[in-house]
Every structure is written in structure tokens, then in C-alpha cells.
Amino acid sequence: MENIAPRTMKVLLPLPLSDAYDYRVPEGMDVAPGHFVVVPLGKRETVGVVWGEGSGEVALEKLRDIAEILPALPMADALRRFVDWVSAYTLAPPGAVLRMAMSVPSALEAPKTETIYRPARSSGDEALKLTAARRRVLEALRDGPAMPAAELAHLAGVGTSVIKTMASVGLLDPVERTMRRSFPQPDGERPGPTLSPEQHTAAQALVGKVQADAFSATLLDGVPGAGKTEVYFEAIAAALAAGRQALVLLPEIALTAQWLKRFEDRFGAPPAPWHSGLTGLERRETWRAIAEGRVGVVVGARSALFLPFTKLGLIVVDEEHDGSFKQDEGVTYNARDMAVVRARLVAAPIVLASATPSLESVVNVTTGRYGALHLPGRHGGQQLARLTAVDLRREQPSRGRWLSPPVVEAMKQTLAAGEQTLLFLNRRGYAPLTLCRACGHGLECPQCSAWLVEHRFRRTLVCHHCGHTEPPAHACKYCGAVDQFVACGPGVERLAEEALELFPEARLELFTSDSLMNRDEASAAVDRMIAGEIDILIGTQMAAKGHHFPNLTLVAVIDADLGLNGGDLRAAERTFQLLYQVAGRAGREDRPGRALVQTHMPEHPVMQALVSGDRDRFVAAELADRAAAGMPPYGRLASLIVSGPDPAAVDGVCAALARRAPQQPGVTVLGPSTAPLALLRGRHRRRFLLKASRETALQPLLHGWLERIGLPGSVRLQVDVDPYSFL
């Protein structure tokens, strides 16, 4: 009889490995691509995903057997293709991408079961006399569902031993039940609010995209307060009505508070949230429920893109321009762009919503890759806030102050009218820099080339790059001078101190990631603002977007030039987006709003565009500059960061990279140069920047450059295709 060779399968492991490993399939094991399996790796066992048929490159006698198949539902083909696509695009090992799609290992185990009890059809002994306790148990079960012993005993007022004895004598039937958390189901048929004609037209267009059950990408472009959320809610309703799942990506955890309330008001139940604040149990139950199709809508941060949806029918990326969608560590990817890829792989529509679309999305619309829907006016006919630039060269604050006379006067008027003010400064803490008066040295992070930021309210110094903290210093380590430190520049805490001195009767609150540590605290602060319990809100970018404060009529931007000083590619674009969004928080109800922008450069194109309200002219000018320089979205960029604890080893790798740098038309390699953050978490950093034409296939070029470079064990090389940050 002919011997049949054992079958082999490739298993991808959630480790930073370059490829899947071949394993033998034991006789009688029915395994298929997508199955989660336990396999041996060295002296231990680990969990991986069957990725396909074995490669046949390794002799059978050297292969090890798959140990077992886990009881989780297999990973869908579309998600496996998505993992491969992200890996190929970002040049990250496929196992590192898989780890994001297997972020909850406990969800792969068999769900726990519990014993529940129901009345037996026959007692088996008609002569058996029921005690009073047993009668109460049967009475509790008469019109209700079966239930666990502890719950039934509590309801009947007996001990659990009574329940177990009744089961042993045949009065109750024990039944094993899988323990599953039930998720409220949003109702796609529930009627929504009355939409304006512009909203209705846009909503119907999106509903049509969902009903077409095919891939499409649409930019939903509307001014702040135009009602973009209500429009894409109609698309979510259409997806739910069709029995499909929807995913909404939000950039900030603070945005979810009001958004969740609006969602529940619209659909009668909350969506399933996905973010880092969930407990391990919540993550496991949510992950399994999504995989089993028991969750209709998920709202989450960028990591939600890798969840195991089985019938994904719509993706929405809200605030699609936001830089928080870019992950800069580990696998470097932009969740907005990868969301478009995932939508294409599952043949579903995607909606990208923003009041200030990214230049990449604008160009994708003009070239026909994306469709576009416009909401040019605020819902209900309210006018956008009147924006005025305050020239700090002429309207200087008092010495040691940061609020200019026009801003102080506007705050007085706003408080007198019983309305609210938002002071916006995108700088956490009390002061960004602390200097010694005696010798001029600043307090630096010992692990990063960055200043320590004073957080006076918490009495600590913090590095906002690595998280290092230390108590406030009294003696200078350079010159020994005691109590000679002075805070330089304003942070939100210093601004709060000044505002309280000027308006001691005002109710003031900070709205930052330091003062609001989680979603519940952020939600409570939003509720206090809506209820009118806050007169002056002082916030960072957490307060700049997505919030609807009915009585907020004044927004003052304290340092509008802050984002323009970095000098990177997107400085002007990011600053315009942020300031336009924060100005849009004012005057969203029936009271007119105004925004004052303090600047030393009122002639700057960003300030001119904000004051004139001509967003399109600014976008056209910025795109023209990018096109002339061959920069994204008209060119391609890739960043290489070489880092290590030993600067000599780092420089050695950089020299090898420089010698082998690509030499071909349309490709320029800049560097190596010291990164702006030359030291980060104790690692010295050097940067290369590869610039290429739009037509250049970037990934093969990078592969060819990097494949022959050997790295010492202490040196890391991180590749960032389409970099967003240039630090």
C-alpha cells in the first residue's frame, strides 16, 4: 500500500518574524487556513494562525507537529489578506502585524461555562413530599428562565445545597450553558432626527453606497457644526438594517463621551467601545462577540481596525485628518489609510469625515479615487464664529502675563453675559522650560534630548516623550545655586493661574490628558461644561474638536504660532486644521460666537486664511507648494531611524546605509543626520529621509537597500513609510 506523505501547513506566529513556519498536520486533524493553533516553538508552545499550505522547503523529518486547534472561530480570509497587505506596505514583519490582530490571546480559549437549573419534567418519585424550601425554588422557576444555583438560591431564600440536592433527586435538571456577555443591539430601524436638505442629500448618498454592498471611499467634508455625525449615522443605520457590522474610528478617547450619547440617543443602545481603557475581561468578551457577529457597531481607536469582524459593511473615520491616527512605534501605519485598504478587501464603503480634510484626501477627491459630499453651512443656519487675529507685537500682555488686553476684555464681556470661554493652548503642564537664573542651564530629561516640563499642580517634573518623572529641583546640578529656578513660557496650568487672578469668581477647569486620566473623567467634564457649571475651560487639543458646548461663545487661542515653529512638512497644514477646529467650538447654538487668535505673525498665510475664512485658497496654495517641491501628496517619503545606546554603533550602521543608498533618477536620499530628538529613552537616534516621485515603487526600493545591512544586536532600524512626524 502506498504511503501518503503527511500534510504540512504554514503557521504565522505573532512574533517579529519574517515569514510563517512549516508544521506537520497530525493524522486525523482537520485543519484549514485561518485556524488558530497551538504549535511548539523551541522549548515552549505558542499560538499562531494557519496561513496556508506548507512551503515544502524543509524536510518532513525536521518538522514538528501542530499540537491542537483552538476553539475560536477561524481568522477570516479578508483579515489575513489585510495583515499581509499592511506588512508589505509598512515593511513590518508579518508576525508583528498579526500580533495586533491577536491582541487578546485569552479570547481564543474556549469560553467558560456555568451550570443552570430548570424544573425537571418528572420528579421520578411522585410520593416525594416537597419541603417549603423546595416549593419556593420551584415557584421561583415557574415563570422565569433557568438560572445558576447562587442566583436561584438568593431568589428563593434558600441555600445552594438545597438546589444541588433537588438536582440529585431529580426535581431539577442541571444544564451547562456557555457564559457570554450580552451586548445591547443598536436599532437600525429606529427613526433618526429631522435632517436639513443638505444633510438629507448627503445621507441618502451614503445609504446608497452601503446598499450597493461594494467598496467605495467618500470624503464627507463639512464645516464645524454642519452635522456630519448625523449624516454618517444614517449610513450606520443602513448597515445595521442589512445585518452588517459597522466600525467607527475616532482619534481621541475624549471625543467618545458626547459621541456615545448621541449614538445611544439615535439608536437606542450604545456601540461596543474598543480602546486601551478596557479591562482584560471586557476586551476578551468584546473580541469574541465581534468575531461571532454579536456586535453590530464598534467605536474605537486605531487598533480597532484589526478586530475580527465577520460581516463588516461600513467603516467611518471621523476627523480623518487627525495625526493621532498615525502609529509611530512598532508597526508604523496610518489607520486612516489602512482603513481604506480594509474596506476594499471586504468590499465595503468607507466614509472619511472632517471639517479640515487632509491634503492627501483632497487630492484623492480631485483625481477621482474618492467621492465627495459637502456640507457648506452649519445645521440650523448658525453662523461660524467670527475670527480675529490679535497682533501680539501691538497688543502685548502685561509683563509676566500671557493674555492680551483684547482677550481679557472679551472674557469680561463673555462672563458678564453668562456665557462660556475656552482658552486654548496646546502645551501641557505649568511651563515647558525651567532655567537656573544663576547659570542659565535648563532642567533636562536624563534619557531624552528634551526639557523636563513642570507640572506645578502635581509638584513634579515630567518628560513628555519617555514619561520620566522627578520631584521639583531646589539646587542646580551645574552651579549649585539654590532656589534660583524660573519657569519660562506658558503651559495650561500657568494660564489657569493667570485666569484665576484676573477672574477670581469664575468657575475654571482644565481639559487635558493630565487632568482627565480616562474616558469617564473626560465625560464628566464635558457634562459639567454642557450643564453650565464651568465658566472658563482651559484645554489642549483634547478640547479642540468634536465637542458641542451650547453656551460656549468665546474661543481664545493663546499661542497660535506654536505649531509653525517646527519647520516640518505638515506644520502649516496641521496648524490651520487645529486652529480652524478649535475656533469652530464657539457659537454652535443660537448665540453668535467669536474666536481671538493671538499671534506674532498675523501676515502668515495660515493666519490670513483663518481670518478670511477662505479654507480652499489656503489648501490650494499649500498644495501648489507641495507639488513644486515634489512632496506628498505629489511625492513619496520614507523615513529611516537608526537608534541604539552606543552612538558609535549607530553611526557605523548609518555609514553602511549611506554607502548602499539607492542611486537612481527621481530618488533622493537625505542623511544621515542627527534626529531632532537625538536621544530618546536612552537611545541615540540618526535619521535618513528617502524622497521619491509618486510613480516610484517605494517598498521594493527599500527592500533592495536594506536587505544587505547587518545590524548589531543593540541597534534598531525603524522604517516609516509615509512619515507624519519628523522628530
Side-chain angles (χ1 to χ4, degrees):
M1 185 174 179
E2 185 180 355
N3 290 327
I4 300 176
R7 188 182 177 200
T8 65
M9 302 295 281
K10 287 195 302 183
V11 177
L12 187 61
L13 305 176
L15 301 169
L17 303 170
S18 59
D19 203 356
Y21 289 171
D22 280 6
Y23 285 89
R24 281 192 310 242
V25 179
E27 187 176 350
M29 179 180 283
D30 187 13
V31 66
H35 277 148
F36 292 96
V37 293
V38 177
V39 294
L41 182 68
K43 295 182 179 180
R44 62 189 176 97
E45 288 188 332
T46 189
V47 176
V49 180
V50 177
W51 221 246
E53 297 293 332
S55 66
E57 297 173 356
V58 181
L60 277 172
E61 59 271 16
K62 293 184 178 181
L63 296 182
R64 303 172 74 180
D65 286 352
I66 295 173
E68 65 173 300
I69 301 173
L70 291 178
L73 288 172
M75 181 177 284
D77 175 67
L79 182 52
R80 286 185 281 115
R81 285 187 288 130
F82 181 59
V83 168
D84 283 336
W85 202 99
V86 173
S87 169
Y89 189 86
T90 63
L91 272 68
V97 182
L98 177 66
R99 184 162 51 196
M100 297 191 292
M102 290 176 58
S103 60
V104 192
S106 61
L108 305 176
E109 302 166 0
K112 294 180 180 179
T113 61
E114 64 177 347
T115 303
I116 58 175
Y117 295 88
R118 64 188 181 192
R121 294 182 181 178
S122 171
S123 69
D125 185 353
E126 300 300 334
L128 186 65
K129 293 184 178 180
L130 294 177
T131 64
R134 292 177 175 182
R135 290 185 187 279
R136 290 200 302 273
V137 170
L138 294 176
E139 186 67 28
L141 287 171
R142 177 173 296 172
D143 298 318
M147 60 186 78
E151 184 180 340
L152 180 55
H154 176 75
L155 191 63
V158 301
T160 54
S161 60
V162 174
I163 311 298
K164 293 174 181 176
T165 301
M166 291 177 70
S168 68
V169 299
L171 287 171
L172 296 178
D173 284 339
V175 179
E176 289 296 308
R177 178 176 71 178
T178 300
M179 295 176 66
R180 285 192 178 96
R181 175 187 164 192
S182 62
F183 286 81
Q185 296 303 314
D187 183 4
E189 305 290 344
R190 185 182 171 107
T194 301
L195 302 180
S196 69
E198 293 83 4
Q199 286 178 309
H200 179 74
T201 299
Q204 288 304 111
L206 293 183
V207 168
K209 302 283 188 186
V210 173
Q211 291 174 341
D213 198 15
F215 169 71
S216 64
T218 305
L219 177 64
L220 180 58
D221 177 6
V223 300
K228 297 181 290 296
T229 305
E230 283 73 19
V231 169
Y232 71 66
F233 275 179
E234 295 302 307
I236 292 174
L240 290 171
R244 296 197 290 273
Q245 296 167 302
L247 167 64
V248 181
L249 297 180
L250 296 177
E252 298 274 0
I253 191 172
L255 289 181
T256 60
Q258 272 188 301
W259 190 95
L260 287 171
K261 184 178 186 308
R262 292 167 72 179
F263 185 96
E264 191 165 354
D265 289 346
R266 170 65 178 83
F267 294 102
W274 187 263
H275 52 74
S276 59
L278 298 180
T279 66
L281 177 61
E282 288 171 332
R283 292 174 71 83
R284 184 182 74 213
E285 292 180 337
T286 303
W287 197 95
R288 278 198 83 100
I290 292 168
E292 293 167 1
R294 294 186 288 114
V295 166
V297 182
V298 175
V299 57
R302 57 180 180 248
S303 61
L305 192 57
F306 292 88
L307 288 170
F309 296 96
T310 54
K311 45 186 179 179
L312 189 55
L314 173 68
I315 300 177
V316 176
V317 183
D318 207 347
E319 308 289 356
E320 65 89 27
H321 66 277
D322 198 284
S324 300
F325 284 124
K326 182 63 191 279
Q327 178 162 296
D328 289 320
E329 295 188 348
V331 179
T332 58
Y333 69 97
N334 190 313
R336 175 200 65 212
D337 300 339
M338 296 304 104
V340 175
V341 174
R342 180 141 200 209
R344 179 167 55 81
L345 290 174
V346 297
I350 182 170
V351 179
L352 308 170
S354 177
T356 53
S358 63
L359 297 186
E360 285 80 2
S361 293
V362 170
V363 169
N364 280 330
V365 169
T366 59
T367 56
R369 293 185 66 193
Y370 295 175
L373 297 169
H374 298 278
L375 298 173
R378 281 187 162 179
H379 182 63
Q382 289 89 10
Q383 296 299 306
L384 288 170
R386 185 178 75 256
L387 197 147
T388 305
V390 177
D391 189 345
L392 291 176
R393 298 169 300 187
R394 299 176 181 175
E395 300 280 2
Q396 295 183 3
S398 303
R399 185 174 179 81
R401 303 279 191 178
W402 308 99
L403 299 175
S404 64
V407 168
V408 173
E409 181 57 34
M411 292 176 70
K412 287 180 182 177
Q413 296 171 5
T414 303
L415 286 167
E419 297 166 355
Q420 294 168 314
T421 296
L422 168 62
L423 299 180
F424 175 78
L425 177 62
N426 204 21
R427 192 181 267 154
R428 295 152 55 198
Y430 184 84
L433 170 62
T434 303
L435 291 177
C436 173
R437 287 192 184 95
C439 67
H441 274 99
L443 296 179
E444 299 174 288
C445 175
Q447 302 178 127
C448 305
S449 51
W451 304 115
L452 290 174
V453 177
E454 181 183 5
H455 286 249
R456 188 163 294 185
F457 294 176
R458 287 160 41 191
R459 296 189 58 78
T460 187
L461 297 167
V462 181
C463 175
H464 288 165
H465 297 285
C466 72
H468 169 81
T469 62
E470 60 184 63
H474 296 291
C476 178
K477 66 179 180 181
Y478 293 99
C479 70
V482 176
D483 293 333
Q484 290 296 306
F485 290 111
V486 59
C488 300
V492 288
E493 292 178 7
R494 195 170 193 177
L495 200 59
E497 189 177 84
E498 179 178 343
L500 280 175
E501 288 179 12
L502 290 168
F503 307 103
E505 302 301 319
R507 297 165 297 174
L508 181 146
E509 194 160 324
L510 290 176
F511 198 87
T512 73
S513 58
D514 298 307
S515 60
L516 307 170
M517 302 302 290
N518 55 50
R519 190 187 66 191
D520 291 339
E521 291 184 7
S523 177
V526 168
D527 289 343
R528 289 192 295 275
M529 189 70 178
I530 293 172
E533 298 171 10
I534 301 170
D535 299 314
I536 301 172
L537 190 69
I538 300 178
T540 57
Q541 66 179 5
M542 280 181 64
K545 55 215 168 190
H547 301 296
H548 183 93
F549 301 131
N551 200 37
L552 176 64
T553 59
L554 174 64
V555 168
V557 178
I558 306 308
D559 189 352
D561 308 330
L562 186 59
L564 296 173
N565 298 328
D568 71 48
L569 168 69
R570 295 183 174 86
E573 179 188 6
R574 279 197 299 242
T575 300
F576 178 84
Q577 289 167 338
L578 187 59
L579 298 186
Y580 186 82
Q581 292 271 358
V582 73
R585 298 311 102 205
R588 294 172 70 94
E589 290 288 340
D590 54 351
R591 303 184 186 189
R594 53 179 168 163
L596 301 179
V597 178
Q598 294 188 166
T599 175
H600 287 94
M601 300 183 290
E603 70 283 353
H604 193 284
V606 169
M607 304 308 161
Q608 291 292 308
L610 287 167
V611 171
S612 67
D614 195 345
R615 187 198 76 179
D616 293 342
R617 186 174 70 177
F618 168 76
V619 169
E622 187 72 9
L623 283 174
D625 289 345
R626 300 272 189 96
M631 286 292 188
Y634 299 106
R636 306 289 308 279
L637 289 179
S639 167
L640 274 63
I641 294 288
V642 184
S643 69
D646 178 7
V650 171
D651 289 335
V653 172
C654 287
L657 283 166
R659 286 193 297 270
R660 293 175 171 81
Q663 304 283 334
Q664 66 183 64
V667 175
T668 303
V669 176
L670 305 173
S673 63
T674 301
L677 268 175
L679 183 68
L680 180 64
R681 300 185 184 94
R683 301 181 68 84
H684 298 270
R685 305 168 77 240
R686 309 288 186 263
R687 173 184 286 277
F688 288 86
L689 192 66
L690 185 147
K691 176 174 172 284
S693 64
R694 190 71 196 168
E695 297 74 30
T696 302
L698 211 55
Q699 284 76 10
L701 187 70
L702 289 165
H703 270 299
W705 182 14
L706 304 177
E707 64 182 356
R708 291 174 295 159
I709 302 296
L711 294 179
S714 63
V715 176
R716 297 179 198 151
L717 172 60
Q718 182 183 48
V719 180
D720 185 357
V721 178
D722 305 328
Y724 193 84
S725 168
F726 293 86
L727 292 177

